[in-house]
Amino acid sequence: MIPTIPTTAPATTAHKSVLLKESLDSLDLRAGGVFVDATLGGGGHSAEVIARFGKEVKIVAIDLDQAAIDLAMKRLEVGNVQYYCGSFRNLDLALAGQKVDAELFDLGWNADQFEAAERGFSFQKDGPLKMMFSQTETPAPVVGVRPGAVANALPRFTARDIVNSWEEQNIADVIYAYGEERYSRRIARAICEARAQKPIETTFELVAIIGHSVPFFYKKGKTHFATRTFQALRIAVNDELSALKEGLWKGFDALAPGGRMAVISFHSLEDRIVKRYFKEKADQGEAELVTKKPIVPSDEEMQENRRSRSAKLRVLKKN
């Protein structure tokens, strides 16, 4: 029988954009420019661009989640915004050849998505094991929205598919590589033992399995014991690291001379990719590092928004 453990969900928290002022200040936007919000989410960064420039800056807003776009359209209706429903790895399709002056990749998850139990992202809410940023295979037609390529609209599999059908070694490898989880092998073994009795269907079932496979002291740490496993599954489902590499490459190619790219990362795997890519472009003489070291949130922001604690902002300027 799959073990169960009590889990209490926290109160819903409204999404807050991280490093809002710092990221936009570092992009050095000017009236008449084109700004790409590669991860629209709740629309906080784009709303600030509109507050500063009105319709004098054109915004190309990209998001995998149609629901996020629907909400953001209401918030940003006073701006000059072009929407694209798809992954930022398809940034070239979203821009259709136009050059841009500034791009922002905010790699943090959208609190609204994680608070929705039916999306299956959170270990603190009971829901189906999905973890997909995109909710539909073919985005619903919306006025002003260009749909993304169907091939990239939905992940190839869900978190449920991983835990119920992948081989134990592959599950362990994913949890270790994408979650940097020291107990990945124990957790993978427990998952396979549990699914032999019945399929693992919900987030709480998976949390219980993880909880019974790790040492007692590990469950008393500051970080929830299921955090790294859930992170790993989410990254695998959405192919996040490959998408980031492709998005950076296409984003840099789309920048006009003197254009800037800013990336806000939230864990070491993302930041390592961004740091290496920026350094490579700088070493090749194609760009210069605007930020020699990453910008991090102020103490005040970290106190007001706990999700900002691990954020790092890096900025690159194209020569």
Side-chain angles (χ1 to χ4, degrees):
M1 181 178 180
I2 295 178
T4 57
I5 57 175
T7 308
T8 303
T12 300
T13 303
H15 181 79
K16 294 181 180 180
S17 297
V18 175
L19 291 167
L20 179 62
K21 183 179 185 301
E22 293 88 344
S23 59
L24 294 182
D25 286 351
S26 66
L27 285 172
D28 194 30
L29 264 172
R30 308 290 175 87
V34 179
F35 167 68
V36 175
D37 191 340
T39 46
L40 177 62
H45 290 98
S46 286
E48 178 62 21
V49 170
I50 293 173
R52 295 185 183 192
F53 298 99
K55 293 187 176 182
E56 293 185 340
V57 166
K58 178 182 178 180
I59 299 173
V60 179
I62 302 172
D63 203 282
L64 261 173
D65 189 352
Q66 186 67 60
I69 290 177
D70 292 341
L71 290 174
M73 288 179 76
K74 299 175 183 178
R75 183 178 187 182
L76 308 177
E77 60 184 356
V78 297
N80 176 15
V81 189
Q82 170 190 323
Y83 298 91
Y84 179 84
C85 186
S87 170
F88 57 62
R89 74 191 313 161
N90 294 327
L91 193 144
D92 54 332
L93 300 180
L95 295 177
Q98 67 179 310
K99 294 296 183 180
V100 303
D101 303 289
E103 300 168 348
L104 175 64
F105 294 76
D106 178 356
L107 305 179
W109 43 265
N110 186 337
D112 296 331
Q113 292 175 327
F114 276 66
E115 291 294 341
E118 66 274 12
R119 302 295 294 272
F121 285 110
S122 177
F123 50 76
Q124 294 178 311
K125 291 182 178 293
D126 196 19
L129 278 170
K130 293 182 178 179
M131 302 193 190
M132 301 178 297
F133 287 132
S134 173
Q135 297 192 72
T136 57
E137 183 172 354
T138 304
V142 179
V143 176
V145 179
R146 297 180 58 222
V150 172
N152 289 311
L154 255 192
R156 297 154 294 170
F157 42 76
T158 65
R160 182 190 183 282
D161 295 326
I162 295 177
V163 300
N164 285 296
S165 63
W166 285 25
E167 293 183 2
E168 180 179 327
Q169 183 62 53
N170 291 337
I171 295 174
D173 288 346
V174 163
I175 296 174
Y176 181 78
Y178 293 163
E180 299 178 309
E181 171 58 71
R182 72 172 86 172
Y183 297 110
S184 59
R185 296 191 184 282
R186 286 194 189 189
I187 294 169
R189 187 180 311 118
I191 286 173
C192 291
E193 290 173 352
R195 77 187 189 191
Q197 302 173 44
K198 65 177 292 292
I200 304 167
E201 303 286 355
T202 71
T203 53
F204 275 13
E205 288 177 357
L206 181 57
V207 169
I209 293 166
I210 297 169
H212 282 77
S213 63
V214 299
F216 179 77
F217 77 86
Y218 194 61
K219 291 184 282 188
K220 297 299 181 180
K222 292 182 179 180
T223 301
H224 192 284
F225 59 84
T227 298
R228 295 179 181 275
T229 298
F230 270 65
Q231 172 185 297
L233 293 174
R234 190 203 74 225
I235 290 174
V237 167
N238 296 283
D239 196 23
E240 292 179 35
L241 301 185
S242 293
L244 174 58
K245 293 176 183 177
E246 192 171 350
L248 292 175
W249 168 61
K250 291 181 176 178
F252 186 80
D253 186 59
L255 283 175
R260 298 189 179 196
M261 172 191 292
V263 183
I264 303 173
S265 62
F266 288 81
H267 59 73
S268 59
L269 297 176
E270 295 171 338
D271 184 58
R272 195 175 303 137
I273 290 172
V274 177
K275 180 180 179 180
R276 287 175 178 173
Y277 183 79
F278 281 15
K279 184 178 185 301
E280 175 185 317
K281 289 299 180 183
D283 289 346
Q284 293 173 350
E286 298 181 54
E288 63 180 87
L289 300 174
V290 176
T291 52
K292 304 298 182 183
K293 294 184 178 180
I295 297 173
V296 298
S298 65
D299 291 339
E300 181 180 2
E301 180 171 6
M302 286 190 281
Q303 290 176 358
E304 293 178 354
N305 183 6
R306 293 181 67 252
R307 293 188 177 102
S308 72
R309 290 177 299 174
S310 60
K312 291 183 178 180
L313 168 65
R314 295 184 186 273
V315 186
L316 187 73
K317 179 181 178 181
K318 188 172 186 177
N319 288 337

